[in-house]
Amino acid sequence: MSTMNFAAQTSDDFNRAKTKAIVNEIQHFLKPDEAKLISFYDLKELLHPDNETYVGMKTVPVASIVGSEGRYNDFDNMFFPKRSHLKNRWESIDRAHLQNIILPPISLYEIGGLYFVRDGNHRVSVARARGIEFIDAEVISLRTEIRLKPGYTMKYLLKQIIQYEKRVFYSETAFGDITDDWSLDFTTAGQYDVIYNHILTHKYYKNLNNIEEISLTDSIMSWYNTVYMPVVDTIYRHRLMKAFRHRTVSDLYVWLLKYWEDFKAKYGEDTPLDSVAGNFGETGDSLFAKIERLKNRLKSPWQRKTIIRKNKT
């Protein structure tokens, strides 16, 4: 193949890959986060790995490379190029593949069984576009107990992390067996640690009045009956779930208590929870209404007509 033909082929390859990124973005217009490449630092912040270990050279499945350290805005979640300024570098790597030139290995971080590009984003992009299944890489591993399944959205990975945290919390505390409540669920990571700290704080104050130290089991049951459930009852009594329809009652328990603590710091320790809950609900309703109005504006005309027809029937 001549130099001119190589140039034409690589240009076509890049344009096809960039078009796929555009189509992917259009398809996820209402949920743009689903078309974004995952940031290594965002996931690292959720997992809090212990340390780094140099693994060395490995042959890595391209499908397991789900994000990037620094170029997550330049490529979509399938590693297709989103920016025109990537063209020259992308085409030079594509040309090397056409000429069977062996390229140096890429550099990756591994965390939770998934890989993130340190160096070599263009090479991963070309590999994806060409359907290449494996790539040579120099790997640094960050230690964490959780193992994640490959996924192309942060939402999918977050769900796995929360499920893992729930399994650990229920296993280590026997919370479900003690309370017979298996629906302590959250939509954000790190909340089971918050609950555990609430229980330990409750245990501390209970022990101040006891000669014999109260057990963790009794502390969990006491916290559940005298702290958690009264707050949950307040949440339902004020119909706060209507203002936060995509959240859980356990989410609202944590947020409402934090909101209450802030109120008490400003207005005094005798501030009743009921008055705070009412104010919290008004804030939630207002915020939720704004989000709903924005979603409706973003919907296409035929979707808005469908909504109007449904509301009329």
Side-chain angles (χ1 to χ4, degrees), residues 38-101:
I38 298 169
S39 163
F40 166 72
Y41 290 111
D42 285 350
L43 186 62
K44 183 180 177 183
E45 187 175 343
L46 289 175
L47 292 178
H48 302 293
D50 294 337
N51 50 38
E52 296 183 2
T53 302
Y54 178 73
V55 176
M57 294 298 303
K58 288 184 65 176
T59 300
V60 175
V62 175
S64 294
I65 305 173
V66 300
S68 175
E69 178 184 24
R71 304 296 292 272
Y72 46 86
N73 289 322
D74 289 339
F75 301 87
D76 72 356
N77 63 326
M78 300 297 291
F79 263 99
F80 292 125
K82 296 167 58 177
R83 319 291 186 197
S84 295
H85 72 264
L86 304 172
K87 183 178 176 68
N88 290 339
R89 177 62 177 158
W90 199 98
E91 288 184 5
S92 68
I93 293 171
D94 191 41
R95 186 180 302 110
H97 278 278
L98 290 170
Q99 295 175 325
N100 294 318
I101 296 173

Side-chain angles (χ1 to χ4, degrees), residues 294-306:
L294 178 60
K295 284 182 178 179
N296 287 335
R297 282 202 299 271
L298 290 175
K299 285 183 170 72
S300 63
W302 70 265
Q303 285 176 307
R304 287 199 295 271
K305 290 177 182 177
T306 301

Side-chain angles (χ1 to χ4, degrees), residues 169 172-173 175 192-208 213-224 227 253:
F169 174 80
E172 292 185 351
T173 64
F175 184 87
Y192 290 100
D193 285 343
V194 174
I195 294 297
Y196 189 63
N197 285 331
H198 283 196
I199 293 169
L200 292 182
T201 301
H202 182 75
K203 180 176 185 289
Y204 169 78
Y205 283 109
K206 290 288 287 184
N207 281 324
L208 289 179
E213 184 173 354
I214 186 173
S215 67
L216 180 61
T217 297
D218 290 338
S219 298
I220 290 173
M221 200 68 233
S222 174
W223 169 84
Y224 183 79
V227 180
Y253 162 81

Side-chain angles (χ1 to χ4, degrees), residues 60-66 79 124 127-128 132-135 152:
V60 175
V62 175
S64 294
I65 305 173
V66 300
F79 263 99
V124 175
R128 274 280 176 83
I132 296 171
E133 294 184 2
F134 297 93
I135 192 168
Y152 299 123

